[in-house]
Amino acid sequence: MPSFAPRRKDPTEPLLLGSRVVPLLMVRHLRARRYLLRLRPDGTARVTIPRGGTQTEARAFVERNRAWLEEQFQKLQARPRHPLRWHPGSEIFFRGEKFRIESATDGQIRFGSETLKVADTTTDLRPAIEKHLRSLAARELPPRVLAFAAQHQLIVARVTVRNQKSRWGSCSRRGTISLNWRLIQTPDFVRDYIILHELAHRRQMNHSARFWQEVERLCPDYLTAERWLKAHREFLR
Ligand SMILES: [Zn+2]
């Protein structure tokens, strides 16, 4: 006879991880073949107990994988909170600075020097703001590329501003430089480094030692920009 009694709540116990206590959730799973451990995004450790397994064995399994769990926990802590939706109060990067989105009267929103009108300030503002940032980027980035190209006597066929998900820029063999509109969100020195990096590809279509020499010549402080990009990887997520 099937039982309709509510399933007993899976037991949780405190687990000391480094200097913190995290909840350890033990979940029995009849189809599981072995013990499994994972760290949930909310910081709860979850161990799956297979058919015939015991909580004692589960604890021993967690102990054996303690180093791995600590590493996962550190990664979780280090992950920047980059909100998927933007609302009044959300913080966004603009020209390398963090600004809070403020809502004004008449359906206007503000951040930094920018003011724009949106249909409804209570819905996700991200699409409208991104559209605005993208149009600023389309206006500002190409002249910047052409100015650097002229300064360094490099020929550029075309500049496009795009919505790349995994790269900041690219340079084709034919001399088209494509830049990510999100460069309007990074500090100016980072934006300039990406532009100069792509321009350096007009001399070296690779990432050889010679290429990096060229980058260093065009942008002596490029490592600082590389570090900024590394520390703000969440932009391209
Ligand atoms: Zn490159």
Side-chain angles (χ1 to χ4, degrees):
M1 193 179 99
S3 161
F4 293 106
R7 192 168 156 217
R8 213 178 65 230
K9 204 170 171 292
D10 294 312
T12 302
E13 53 185 63
L15 173 72
L16 187 66
L17 203 62
S19 57
R20 306 171 179 264
V21 178
V22 304
L24 172 67
L25 180 66
M26 299 203 191
V27 182
R28 283 192 178 277
H29 206 299
L30 293 180
R31 273 172 305 173
R33 300 226 173 143
R34 55 192 177 90
Y35 290 92
L36 280 173
L37 179 62
R38 73 182 185 96
L39 183 66
R40 301 201 307 201
D42 67 359
T44 304
R46 180 190 196 274
V47 61
T48 305
I49 306 176
R51 182 197 286 269
T54 67
Q55 287 189 15
T56 308
E57 278 174 9
R59 280 185 208 101
F61 180 76
V62 172
E63 281 311 316
R64 284 201 298 280
N65 291 282
R66 180 174 274 280
W68 177 85
L69 192 59
E70 279 189 24
E71 196 183 307
Q72 297 307 304
F73 195 75
Q74 269 162 22
K75 276 189 198 159
L76 185 68
Q77 296 277 297
R79 195 183 297 168
R81 301 273 181 269
H82 199 59
L84 293 174
R85 289 162 170 274
W86 292 351
H87 294 288
S90 303
E91 286 187 321
I92 60 169
F93 268 99
F94 180 55
R95 302 194 195 285
E97 274 184 77
K98 239 184 206 177
F99 291 104
R100 201 174 283 282
I101 302 169
E102 290 168 43
S103 157
T105 48
D106 310 336
Q108 291 202 325
I109 52 164
R110 283 197 207 120
F111 58 93
S113 55
E114 304 303 298
T115 302
L116 63 144
K117 206 164 170 59
V118 293
D120 182 356
T121 56
T122 61
T123 57
D124 181 14
L125 300 173
R126 191 165 186 158
I129 294 177
E130 287 196 344
K131 193 174 163 215
H132 178 76
L133 293 177
R134 198 173 167 170
S135 73
L136 279 180
R139 209 156 62 213
E140 294 180 16
L141 298 177
R144 192 81 185 151
V145 176
L146 298 179
F148 275 134
Q151 186 187 334
H152 298 290
Q153 280 121 49
L154 291 159
I155 294 167
V156 172
R158 203 159 76 94
V159 184
T160 62
V161 174
R162 295 171 52 199
N163 186 36
Q164 298 97 318
K165 293 288 179 212
S166 60
R167 63 211 305 196
W168 287 105
S170 61
C171 177
S172 78
R173 288 195 178 274
R174 291 185 173 178
T176 296
I177 289 185
S178 299
L179 297 171
N180 196 315
W181 65 261
R182 292 173 187 82
L183 287 170
I184 199 82
Q185 292 190 271
T186 68
D188 290 354
F189 76 94
V190 173
R191 171 203 65 196
D192 287 349
Y193 158 62
I194 294 294
I195 292 173
L196 291 164
H197 176 121
E198 300 312 334
L199 283 171
H201 281 310
R202 294 301 289 136
R203 297 217 166 101
Q204 297 286 331
M205 278 307 290
N206 49 52
H207 289 115
S208 61
R210 270 195 181 174
F211 166 79
W212 288 109
Q213 273 167 21
E214 185 64 28
V215 169
E216 192 166 10
R217 206 174 63 75
L218 300 178
C219 183
D221 202 20
Y222 77 98
L223 284 175
T224 313
E226 281 277 342
R227 270 197 294 275
W228 192 94
L229 290 170
K230 206 170 172 190
H232 296 85
R233 256 185 234 152
E234 79 273 14
F235 271 96
L236 291 184
R237 243 186 238 146

